[in-house]
């Protein structure tokens, strides 16, 4: 629930920016749009953000984001949350929150681009660090494939490994492999 709430917060902010009239304005300059975005990035504690046109290109550096799933999702009018990935502009591990930019700032109208925001890279790790189910528990978040996406040690996330691959205790590996199989099937246990 903590993770869901944190992500929902970031999604709401991204959606708010995507509905800002200055962002979708045909008369606002690129500098005005970037200034507005930078102010919101600072206000809400994001690491950075960018605006992407309907062509999939960044308005600040012309990077092409057409190959990114989060951009494709935002083009459909849905706020997207990426799994950890290597950022195109930084080459570092990052998560992306992307929202559609709505024509005229009117939610549900025509999608004319996307805004993406980068929350602090440790946001999920920080939540996981505070979850303890018992004195000797280990808490981590995994994606649908069982790959670690949040852990007490951020460097582990950068390795894009499953916990069973990270674990050095041979007797524990089968247990983690079983958990990862259940994750992949959408089960709990």
């Amino acid at each position: 629930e903590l993770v869901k709430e944190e992500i929902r917060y970031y999604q709401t902010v991204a959606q708010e920016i995507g509905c800002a009239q200055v962002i979708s304005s045909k008369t606002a300059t690129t500098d005005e749009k970037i200034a507005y975005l930078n102010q919101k990035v600072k206000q809400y504690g994001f690491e950075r953000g960018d605006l992407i046109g309907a062509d999939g290109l960044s308005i600040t550096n012309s990077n092409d984001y057409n190959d990114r799933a989060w951009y494709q999702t935002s083009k459909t009018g849905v706020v997207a949350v990426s799994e950890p990935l290597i950022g195109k502009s930084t080459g570092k591990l990052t998560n992306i929150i992307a929202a559609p930019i709505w024509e005229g700032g009117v939610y549900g109208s025509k999608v004319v681009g996307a805004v993406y925001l980068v929350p602090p890279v440790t946001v999920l790790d920080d939540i996981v660090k505070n979850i303890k189910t018992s004195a000797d528990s280990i808490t981590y978040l995994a994606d649908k494939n069982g790959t670690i996406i949040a852990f007490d040690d951020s460097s582990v996330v950068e390795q894009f490994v499953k916990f069973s691959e990270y674990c050095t205790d041979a007797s524990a590996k089968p247990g983690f492999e079983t958990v990862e199989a259940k994750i992949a099937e959408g089960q709990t246990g």
Side-chain angles (χ1 to χ4, degrees):
E1 290 304 312
L2 288 171
V3 173
K4 282 183 189 177
E5 202 54 44
E6 192 76 21
I7 290 172
R8 196 173 3 254
Y9 166 76
Y10 289 125
Q11 288 175 308
T12 301
V13 172
Q15 194 164 27
E16 173 193 322
I17 295 169
C19 290
Q21 288 188 1
V22 67
I23 295 294
S24 64
S25 171
K26 293 179 182 176
T27 59
T29 66
T30 299
D31 287 342
E32 290 171 327
K33 293 177 181 187
I34 293 170
Y36 175 83
L37 177 63
N38 288 339
Q39 184 263 328
K40 291 296 183 183
V41 164
K42 183 178 179 182
Q43 177 183 355
Y44 291 107
F46 288 97
E47 288 188 3
R48 65 184 183 286
D50 202 354
L51 301 172
I52 303 168
D55 58 0
L57 303 178
S58 162
I59 69 166
T60 59
N61 58 25
S62 299
N63 279 347
D64 187 343
Y65 292 98
N66 281 296
D67 64 338
R68 296 295 193 169
W70 52 263
Y71 172 69
Q72 293 301 322
T73 299
S74 66
K75 279 181 26 177
T76 68
V78 177
V79 178
V81 179
S82 78
E83 294 178 357
L85 52 86
I86 301 300
K88 280 190 175 191
S89 60
T90 64
K92 296 180 180 178
L93 184 70
T94 190
N95 290 316
I96 303 287
I97 309 290
I101 296 174
W102 297 102
E103 187 172 51
V106 178
Y107 177 83
S109 62
K110 180 181 176 186
V111 176
V112 294
V115 56
Y116 84 72
L117 301 164
V118 178
V121 72
T122 61
V123 69
L124 295 179
D125 296 337
D126 292 342
I127 293 169
V128 169
K129 286 177 187 177
N130 293 313
I131 299 173
K132 296 292 179 193
T133 57
S134 67
D136 295 322
S137 69
I138 295 171
T139 305
Y140 65 98
L141 295 179
D143 67 10
K144 64 185 175 194
N145 301 312
T147 303
I148 299 170
I149 62 171
F151 188 59
D152 192 26
D153 178 357
S154 299
S155 68
V156 174
V157 178
E158 296 173 4
Q159 297 173 33
F160 294 98
V161 297
K162 294 182 178 190
F163 199 82
S164 60
E165 296 167 2
Y166 170 76
C167 178
T168 58
D169 181 349
S171 66
K173 279 185 181 284
F176 287 119
E177 289 167 349
T178 301
V179 168
E180 289 161 359
K182 287 185 177 194
I183 291 169
E185 295 170 3
Q187 297 180 15
T188 60

